[in-house]
Amino acid sequence: MESSLVSSEHLQFLNQFWWSLFILVPMVLIARTVVTGTRYSPILIIVIFGLLMGFVLVSSGVSTAGLPDFPLLNILSRTTIVALGATFFVGGQQLRRVFSKNSAPQDDSVIYCTDEVVLGTGRTQFVFIIRAFFLLLGIEALTKYLLGITPNDELGRFYPLIAYLGLVIAVILIDNRAVIDDKRAYLGRGLIEIAGLVVILVIAYEISLLVRPFIALPQIFFVMIISSALGTIFYRQKHGPAVRCLLFAGIPIILAANFLVGGSLISGTLAIPGIAPTLMYGFFGQILWMFGGISALMLLANTASVRNLAPGMAGALSHAGLTGACTAGDLGEEAAHRAPVMINIPFFGHIFVFSLLALSIERNALLVMPVALVGLVGVGLSLLAFRTIRRSGGEERQEVTGLMLFSLGWQLTAVFVGLLLLVGQPLAFAALAKSAALSHFGLFAAIQGGMFGAEAAALIAFVFAMPFLVHPLVFFLFGRAMERDGEMPRAPVYALAGIGLMGVLYGLFWM
């Protein structure tokens, strides 16, 4: 009898793979189908559909808040750092190529099969989406197992199995209709990429433990440094199946999982005392910092082109949704090439973000003067960026240099000036509000990793997800811009920036 129960438990766990796969992959495919034939990003639909589905799963009694009945969805929602590791590596490559006289040859080692499997999704893209699901699970489970930090419960026993199944399926899941010039080399690059990501995650975690007695810098910070450095060294390295699928489908899969978990927390989280002002600041802050940044680029840098606005704002806010749209190619090839660079640059500014926040945590209060000084540096860099872009005359290297300055400057402005506006709030709630107001991937990953305690880590999925309701406006306007030959309409952007400012001021008064 006991043997039968154990066997049944194992079968139920294996069923979790298929349940999670059948929930997430169709969500991404439906989103791509809805926007097919338009220039809008599918993340627009993933936002709405994910939150709604998570809420329905709880309200219908299928599961409870946090979706504990779907443990693999929870694991996937915490794999942000894996996808960012791949993005940082590519960003390091792009940085070296931009500033090196010896540019890398064009990578034509793989030609994707574009036959539509479902409307709006080619065959190779479909394989990438499924492979990203298994790859994220496999790398996350293997890393946690090697570090010895698997959950101390029944789920923890299955981590070796999750790692094995995830990585084996991911390795063999190659589109046989894609034209690959050297299949053995392509598979080999994929294995190296998987091993490299695991090693980077392990080393970054160990370094974060070593420096913790001095300053509590999170794992994501060291992942950024190591991955970016390796990218600048191996800038000629062609991409294998692991990096390709994570760039295309990693972030959409992670966001879909987070929105599902966040949607399931709607009812319970709204009842927490003091959470409403945090959510309000996150919502209107998203409008303010996004459309305020775009307005500043339009007015002061004299550019309304998506090739500048999309990667510039993705980097300047470390913005989850816009990063996914850019790297997936939804906003054009130029934005796709520039986005990894812009994502990397402000992460070097995270030494200020994470160090000052870590010191603030130790003192249980925000360090006002250092935060104000870094905020002023951000304003100065932003002004320099506007002048550089305005004088670029469309020349690529000059534009990219200006966007790099803007990404770092606006990031420091948005984070540190925003934190000053939240002085007086509990530090954990201020971090939640700031992460949500920017859709800030780095701060999100740090909170998710426990930087601000277990309560904040439990709340972040919902708090981070709610401002994504603004994303229909973001992606609608970027979609309109793509339909206008890449030129963003100005009047709606200015109006939304004003609404965001009024909403933030009202929220601060309410708080």
Side-chain angles (χ1 to χ4, degrees):
M1 176 67 72
E2 183 179 350
S3 175
S4 297
L5 288 174
V6 172
S7 176
S8 175
E9 180 186 355
H10 290 176
L11 288 173
Q12 288 178 5
F13 178 78
L14 288 174
N15 285 339
Q16 285 291 328
F17 269 96
W18 313 123
W19 276 113
S20 301
L21 186 69
F22 292 149
I23 288 173
L24 284 181
V25 171
M27 186 186 303
V28 177
L29 294 176
I30 290 170
R32 294 183 61 84
T33 298
V34 170
V35 300
T36 189
T38 73
R39 302 304 295 273
Y40 299 105
S41 170
I43 292 178
L44 168 68
I45 309 302
I46 292 174
V47 174
I48 301 169
F49 192 41
L51 289 173
L52 181 61
M53 191 171 182
F55 179 76
V56 168
L57 285 173
V58 173
S59 61
S60 63
V62 173
S63 188
T64 56
L67 303 183
D69 302 303
F70 300 93
L72 294 190
L73 289 179
N74 279 279
I75 293 175
L76 276 168
S77 71
R78 295 191 292 270
T79 58
T80 311
I81 196 170
V82 178
L84 287 181
T87 304
F88 292 144
F89 176 79
V90 177
Q93 288 183 311
Q94 292 295 100
L95 272 174
R96 176 67 180 273
R97 291 168 186 172
V98 167
F99 293 103
S100 172
K101 295 180 180 179
N102 300 317
S103 60
Q106 183 177 354
D107 184 3
D108 55 359
S109 59
V110 182
I111 300 175
Y112 299 162
C113 177
T114 57
D115 296 342
E116 285 190 329
V117 176
V118 296
L119 193 64
T121 302
R123 181 184 172 89
T124 303
Q125 293 174 331
F126 178 73
V127 173
F128 279 167
I129 292 169
I130 298 176
R131 186 196 294 148
F133 172 88
F134 288 104
L135 188 59
L136 289 167
L137 279 177
I139 292 177
E140 174 72 6
L142 179 59
T143 303
K144 292 291 192 293
Y145 180 73
L146 292 175
L147 289 170
I149 53 174
T150 56
N152 189 25
D153 54 21
E154 289 297 312
L155 179 62
R157 296 191 299 113
F158 289 99
Y159 266 62
L161 181 61
I162 297 171
Y164 174 78
L165 290 176
L167 293 178
V168 166
I169 295 174
V171 167
I172 65 174
L173 199 60
I174 304 293
D175 181 13
N176 65 327
R177 293 190 184 176
V179 179
I180 304 171
D181 63 356
D182 188 335
K183 295 180 181 179
R184 183 172 294 276
Y186 185 63
L187 287 171
R189 287 197 295 268
L191 291 172
I192 292 171
E193 289 166 351
I194 292 171
L197 281 170
V198 172
V199 170
I200 289 168
L201 291 170
V202 170
I203 292 175
Y205 182 82
E206 295 294 348
I207 295 175
S208 70
L209 290 182
L210 285 174
V211 303
R212 186 168 295 174
F214 310 101
I215 186 168
L217 292 172
Q219 180 188 15
I220 182 67
F221 177 74
F222 298 104
V223 169
M224 178 273 298
I225 292 177
I226 299 171
S227 292
S228 299
L230 288 173
T232 60
I233 295 170
F234 300 105
Y235 72 101
R236 290 179 174 272
Q237 178 71 29
K238 295 180 179 179
H239 298 158
V243 167
R244 288 175 186 271
C245 87
L246 288 177
L247 286 178
F248 176 77
I251 291 176
I253 288 287
I254 293 167
L255 289 178
N258 270 289
F259 296 146
L260 278 165
V261 175
S264 74
L265 297 170
I266 290 177
S267 300
T269 306
L270 289 176
I272 297 175
I275 198 67
T278 301
L279 293 175
M280 185 171 183
Y281 179 87
F283 182 85
F284 285 103
Q286 179 88 202
I287 299 175
L288 171 63
W289 297 112
M290 170 61 72
F291 293 105
I294 295 175
S295 297
L297 283 169
M298 288 178 169
L299 288 169
L300 302 177
N302 196 30
T303 179
S305 175
V306 169
R307 73 173 186 272
N308 292 324
L309 300 181
M313 293 312 302
L317 302 184
S318 290
H319 193 278
L322 204 49
T323 298
C326 285
T327 56
D330 299 328
L331 299 176
E333 289 187 12
E334 285 184 291
H337 290 310
R338 293 180 178 187
V341 178
M342 302 313 151
I343 295 302
N344 275 31
I345 290 300
F347 262 86
F348 289 103
H350 283 37
I351 190 167
F352 301 110
V353 176
F354 291 130
S355 59
L356 288 178
L357 285 175
L359 290 171
S360 298
I361 291 169
E362 292 176 3
R363 301 188 182 188
N364 201 29
L366 189 68
L367 300 174
V368 175
M369 284 304 297
V371 166
L373 287 174
V374 178
L376 286 174
V377 170
V379 173
L381 288 173
S382 297
L383 293 174
L384 180 60
F386 299 141
R387 187 181 70 173
T388 303
I389 297 172
R390 188 172 61 248
R391 295 180 177 180
S392 68
E395 196 272 320
E396 182 179 11
R397 182 167 296 193
Q398 191 78 353
E399 274 191 348
V400 170
T401 301
L403 288 175
M404 289 164 60
L405 289 169
F406 173 75
S407 294
L408 179 57
W410 192 251
Q411 173 110 165
L412 296 178
T413 302
V415 171
F416 289 100
V417 174
L419 285 172
L420 287 176
L421 295 175
L422 294 166
V423 169
Q425 292 298 302
L427 199 55
F429 273 31
L432 286 168
K434 195 71 256 175
S435 176
L438 304 185
S439 285
H440 192 286
F441 249 154
L443 196 51
F444 168 71
I447 295 171
Q448 206 176 41
M451 184 177 183
F452 292 89
E455 183 183 8
L459 291 174
I460 186 59
F462 173 71
V463 175
F464 192 74
M466 284 306 289
F468 267 81
L469 296 174
V470 175
H471 284 38
L473 292 173
V474 176
F475 290 118
F476 174 77
L477 286 177
F478 271 105
R480 285 294 302 274
M482 294 301 291
E483 291 178 346
R484 291 159 48 104
D485 296 324
E487 287 294 307
M488 178 70 74
R490 293 175 182 262
V493 171
Y494 298 151
L496 285 167
I499 291 171
L501 178 60
M502 289 187 291
V504 165
L505 292 175
Y506 178 75
L508 291 172
F509 177 77
W510 183 12
M511 285 192 280

